[in-house]
Amino acid sequence: MSQLIIDLEITTDTTEPIATLAEFLAADQKPTAVFIDSDESIESIEEFSSTLSVIALNFPSFSDGRSYSSANLLRREYGYTAELRAVGDIRIDQLEQMTRCGFNAFRLADGQNVGQGLERLKGFSFSYQPAFNREPLFRARSS
């Protein structure tokens, strides 16, 4: 089993198999976890998002940022509050930006140190730019 960072804790992945988007959409009884690739439409699960316990968004390569937009849409527009997991080619350098877009769970790429990833996540207490769940620092200071 692989290790994950979920809500700033290292844990072992215990999620039941995650359905692909095609499997999810075809199922009469919808699974509670779905894997969405970066080239798949996040809009297709909007009506089901409140019933999902895990949405795993794939980053097939370090340079593919489409899942950042999907995460932001899930949190801001659909009000998704459960586990939003980044999977694929996830590097420690991306974690802070992923958190700001709404991810709260990470399965790092092979060769990435989970402990170092967790320490990196704990190193940021504020940001100058806005995030999905907080105002930018300059607005907080002016209030």
Side-chain angles (χ1 to χ4, degrees):
M1 292 190 158
S2 62
Q3 285 191 313
L4 299 171
I5 299 172
I6 302 176
D7 295 325
L8 298 177
E9 293 185 13
I10 297 173
T11 186
T12 303
D13 186 1
T14 58
T15 306
E16 294 296 317
I18 297 177
T20 65
L21 182 59
E23 293 166 343
F24 178 84
L25 294 174
D28 291 331
Q29 184 130 17
K30 299 295 186 210
T32 60
V34 64
F35 170 93
I36 301 176
D37 215 336
S38 62
D39 63 347
E40 295 178 316
S41 172
I42 198 73
E43 290 84 0
S44 60
I45 66 160
E46 178 180 5
E47 67 182 282
F48 309 106
S49 63
S50 64
T51 65
L52 292 165
S53 62
V54 176
I55 299 176
L57 298 179
N58 189 36
F59 289 80
S61 71
F62 176 78
S63 61
D64 187 339
R66 293 174 285 182
S67 290
Y68 286 105
S69 299
S70 295
N72 203 354
L73 187 63
L74 281 163
R75 295 290 194 204
R76 285 182 191 246
E77 300 297 322
Y78 303 164
Y80 183 70
T81 59
E83 182 180 319
L84 187 54
R85 185 183 299 180
V87 300
D89 193 16
I90 308 302
R91 311 290 176 93
I92 291 171
D93 293 347
Q94 298 169 288
L95 298 181
E96 197 269 335
Q97 294 299 323
M98 289 178 168
T99 300
R100 293 181 57 223
C101 289
F103 288 98
N104 66 325
F106 312 91
R107 186 175 67 218
L108 300 180
D110 291 341
Q112 298 291 298
N113 184 299
V114 177
Q116 287 177 348
L118 180 60
E119 289 306 311
R120 180 72 58 93
L121 280 170
K122 290 179 176 180
F124 291 94
S125 59
F126 64 87
S127 59
Y128 290 104
Q129 301 84 10
F132 90 95
N133 62 347
R134 64 184 181 266
E135 292 293 320
L137 182 63
F138 72 87
R139 265 201 206 117
R141 286 184 175 166
S142 65
S143 336

